[in-house]
Amino acid sequence: MRIAVEGCCHGQLDAIYQSIKTREQTHGYKVDLLVICGDFQSIRNEADLDTIACPRKYLQLGTFHKYYSGECKVPVPTIFVGGNHEVSNYLWELYHGGWVCPDIYFLGFGGVINVGGLRIGGMSGIYKPAHYETGHYEVTPYNDNHKRSVYHVRRYDVYKMLQVKEPMDVFLSHDWPLGIERYGNTAQLLRAKRYFENEIRSNTLGSIAYEHVLASVRPAHWFSAHLHVRFTAVVEWGPRDTANTTTPSSQSPLTLPPPAETAVPEAVKNPDEIEIVFEDEDEDDGEHNSATVEALSLQGSEKESTSTPASANPDEISIDFSDDDDDTQETSTSSETQSTSTQNAPTPAPAVKPYPTETHFLALDKCEPKRQFLEIIDLPHIQGPVEFKYDEEWLAIVRTLDQYLSLEHRQQQPLQGQRLKETLDLNREWVKTNITQKQGLAIPNNFEPTAPSHDPVRTLGQQEKHDLTLPFLNPQTAAFCSMLQIPNKINPHGRRV
């Protein structure tokens, strides 16, 4: 499998897909999957622009609406997580994950799926301590404060991700894990972004929530964006005690091991760098791409990589998963041509993968000319056709902890300790019996538009814009909750399609 990794999207899907097409034509290969690390901006119509936390001068309609309406077809199956400049009312409809349009899948506020034998997890949002302990209390239409708080990651969602125990291949986030810069070339990072120095010295660059997730999940690869700079790092892990099934407490999470060298070098001024003054700390790099597709496609600064993005060996050709050969037997057809009989077929048990001994971190820039926003990664031992499947372990976690999903300011304490472990085990068996064995784990192609798409010949009035920001009940979310036999808490009384 060959995957493309994109930093911040900022609504520029046409430019990103064109850049991939140019790479394919130049190098004679085919990209199988695109992953996007936030600021996706799934803008369907003019009303959605009013829901994005972003200075108005940067707001643009973008090109997503063409894929949402069916005017354009997605050329590469795509997965993304949310950032801090999003159409949050639409993403909230798909809190548990789902298709924002045909062939573009949102991982939800936290989620894990399997694609062609590749296990992919991710979390949306950025960390702000003021909202970390709260529930998801925001209600559409959002006021200015809620436009910003809604994308702040919650401890509850992090706690769910901390229950993942099986090996993870790829993890996506928008914000960086706290302290990750200590595991790469910090001096080079400071030359590119010298104003990071104070945060690096005070160990406040990045998300403490994602540090806990990284230390617990330990994926083979972690991809991020947000800070608009390319950066690589490698975190090496000690032996994992797979016999120890103790779950970290939500109050005493894991942290990263110490790096080999923790000293922060002095920043070296880059005479060619343009200093950026931010208007708002949540809107730090909210600029949108205004360049043409041709300019993006011809930039020599776009990174071409067939090696591990964070590897210390720049000449390495490919990534080798030693025990992944059996995973290709599980895949069948692409999501585009997947038949009903294939979707309903029972899913065989996946091959056991080894736990990664290190995590290769890669952060990329935003989609603009002369920026390193896209890299191609070759995974030669993942060879099956791309097929999207639910993850059995994650379904059990959702079923176990959904009762603690709070829609108020107060977030109640979830299950912990032995009771949590026993309940997770019971729900894992329930998922095997009621989903895996009965209908299979294939994610259905059940996208349905909720709000209307942009109409180029008609301008929405103020009342129409307001009405379109009111809650919609998304059929995908209702179907997901029905499958797991849990109550749907996400806009249950919203308008139906």
Side-chain angles (χ1 to χ4, degrees):
M1 181 183 293
R2 186 175 282 108
I3 66 173
V5 183
E6 162 67 32
C8 296
C9 175
H10 290 176
Q12 301 303 315
L13 279 176
D14 279 359
I16 294 168
Y17 289 138
Q18 181 60 46
S19 294
I20 292 173
K21 182 179 179 180
T22 300
R23 303 280 188 92
E24 291 176 328
Q25 293 173 342
T26 301
H27 300 283
Y29 55 55
K30 175 64 177 174
V31 171
D32 301 297
L33 182 69
L34 167 65
V35 296
I36 298 176
C37 302
D39 282 359
F40 180 81
Q41 297 183 5
S42 50
I43 301 168
R44 302 162 292 179
N45 51 54
E46 298 92 323
D48 283 342
L49 290 171
D50 294 334
T51 70
I52 301 177
C54 181
R56 185 155 293 275
K57 65 181 179 179
Y58 296 130
L59 290 177
Q60 297 180 13
L61 192 61
T63 57
F64 168 77
H65 66 91
K66 299 192 294 185
Y67 301 92
Y68 179 81
S69 68
E71 175 187 347
C72 292
K73 180 177 174 55
V74 173
V76 182
T78 302
I79 298 173
F80 75 97
V81 292
N84 58 315
H85 302 300
E86 301 289 1
V87 182
S88 297
N89 60 325
Y90 186 28
L91 297 190
W92 174 250
E93 289 180 23
L94 297 168
Y95 168 83
H96 295 292
W99 306 103
V100 293
C101 73
D103 290 320
I104 298 183
Y105 193 86
F106 172 51
L107 275 177
F109 281 53
V112 181
I113 64 173
N114 290 275
V115 182
L118 197 67
R119 194 178 194 216
I120 303 174
M123 293 195 68
S124 295
I126 63 173
Y127 174 77
K128 291 291 179 181
H131 302 112
Y132 188 53
E133 305 289 348
T134 69
H136 291 281
Y137 60 85
E138 298 86 356
V139 178
T140 56
Y142 301 130
N143 60 34
D144 286 342
N145 289 331
H146 291 178
K147 285 180 187 179
R148 288 165 174 78
S149 63
V150 69
Y151 57 71
H152 292 160
V153 67
R154 294 336 199 244
R155 182 188 291 274
Y156 166 78
D157 297 305
V158 171
Y159 187 67
K160 284 167 62 181
M161 194 58 67
L162 293 180
Q163 310 318 312
V164 173
K165 305 302 178 188
E166 296 172 6
M168 186 78 69
D169 297 315
V170 170
F171 199 89
L172 309 179
S173 70
H174 187 57
D175 210 355
W176 296 16
L178 179 68
I180 193 67
E181 77 284 348
R182 295 178 292 147
Y183 299 83
N185 191 331
T186 311
Q188 185 181 56
L189 176 62
L190 285 170
R191 282 193 292 271
K193 300 281 187 177
R194 65 181 182 275
Y195 48 86
F196 287 176
E197 182 176 1
N198 289 338
E199 291 175 278
I200 291 174
R201 290 189 177 279
S202 61
N203 194 28
T204 55
L205 184 70
S207 166
I208 190 172
Y210 292 159
E211 179 194 17
H212 302 331
V213 174
L214 173 57
S216 178
V217 176
R218 301 184 181 185
H221 303 277
W222 185 300
F223 303 133
S224 296
H226 189 45
L227 299 183
H228 296 178
V229 64
R230 183 185 185 274
F231 181 74
T232 64
V234 178
V235 182
E236 296 181 355
W237 306 109
R240 186 168 187 133
D241 183 5
T242 57
N244 181 8
T245 56
T246 303
T247 299
S249 165
S250 62
Q251 302 300 323
S252 57
L254 300 172
T255 56
L256 299 183
E261 177 59 61
T262 59
V264 179
E266 292 295 331
V268 179
K269 182 175 178 61
N270 178 359
D272 298 322
E273 182 178 7
I274 300 174
E275 187 166 5
I276 302 171
V277 178
F278 299 132
E279 298 184 15
D280 182 284
E281 63 177 356
D282 272 350
E283 297 160 357
D284 43 6
D285 275 327
E287 305 94 334
H288 287 59
N289 173 29
S290 59
T292 64
V293 169
E294 290 78 12
L296 286 166
S297 301
L298 297 175
Q299 291 302 324
S301 61
E302 289 183 2
K303 184 73 175 178
E304 175 62 39
S305 171
T306 55
S307 63
T308 304
S311 173
N313 177 7
D315 298 320
E316 184 177 353
I317 299 302
S318 61
I319 300 164
D320 184 9
F321 291 115
S322 59
D323 291 340
D324 281 350
D325 290 344
D326 291 341
D327 286 345
T328 60
Q329 304 302 315
E330 181 180 317
T331 61
S332 55
T333 60
S334 68
S335 60
E336 175 183 317
T337 60
Q338 183 176 316
S339 66
T340 303
S341 61
T342 301
Q343 291 185 28
N344 294 332
T347 303
V352 177
K353 291 181 178 180
Y355 285 95
T357 58
E358 57 188 18
T359 295
H360 295 261
F361 175 80
L362 170 67
L364 290 171
D365 207 331
K366 56 184 174 180
C367 179
E368 285 191 358
K370 299 183 180 181
R371 290 180 179 264
Q372 296 172 305
F373 63 84
L374 184 72
E375 292 200 17
I376 310 298
I377 311 297
D378 190 21
L379 308 174
H381 284 72
I382 307 292
Q383 298 177 348
V386 174
E387 181 184 19
F388 284 60
K389 293 187 177 184
Y390 291 120
D391 183 84
E392 198 176 82
E393 183 185 30
W394 181 252
L395 293 182
I397 291 169
V398 173
R399 183 172 159 82
T400 298
L401 293 174
D402 181 73
Q403 62 181 304
Y404 301 100
L405 171 59
S406 172
L407 303 182
E408 302 174 349
H409 273 82
R410 182 179 178 273
Q411 174 62 58
Q412 62 178 312
Q413 185 78 2
L415 275 179
Q416 297 193 48
Q418 187 63 24
R419 284 186 60 202
L420 171 63
K421 180 183 181 303
E422 292 171 355
T423 308
L424 285 169
D425 290 343
L426 287 173
N427 280 320
R428 183 64 178 266
E429 289 303 313
W430 186 95
V431 169
K432 286 181 180 178
T433 301
N434 293 278
I435 299 178
T436 307
Q437 295 175 6
K438 287 185 177 180
Q439 68 184 54
L441 293 171
I443 299 176
N445 297 317
N446 57 351
F447 166 75
E448 292 185 53
T450 49
S453 182
H454 168 65
D455 185 345
V457 299
R458 182 173 176 272
T459 302
L460 295 176
Q462 285 302 116
Q463 186 61 46
E464 288 180 292
K465 286 184 178 181
H466 175 268
D467 291 345
L468 289 177
T469 63
L470 296 174
F472 282 92
L473 172 63
N474 196 295
Q476 295 180 72
T477 299
F480 179 85
C481 293
S482 176
M483 177 184 70
L484 286 180
Q485 296 184 16
I486 58 176
N488 177 23
K489 300 180 181 180
I490 312 302
N491 300 348
H493 306 297
R495 287 171 294 171
R496 297 176 182 268
V497 177

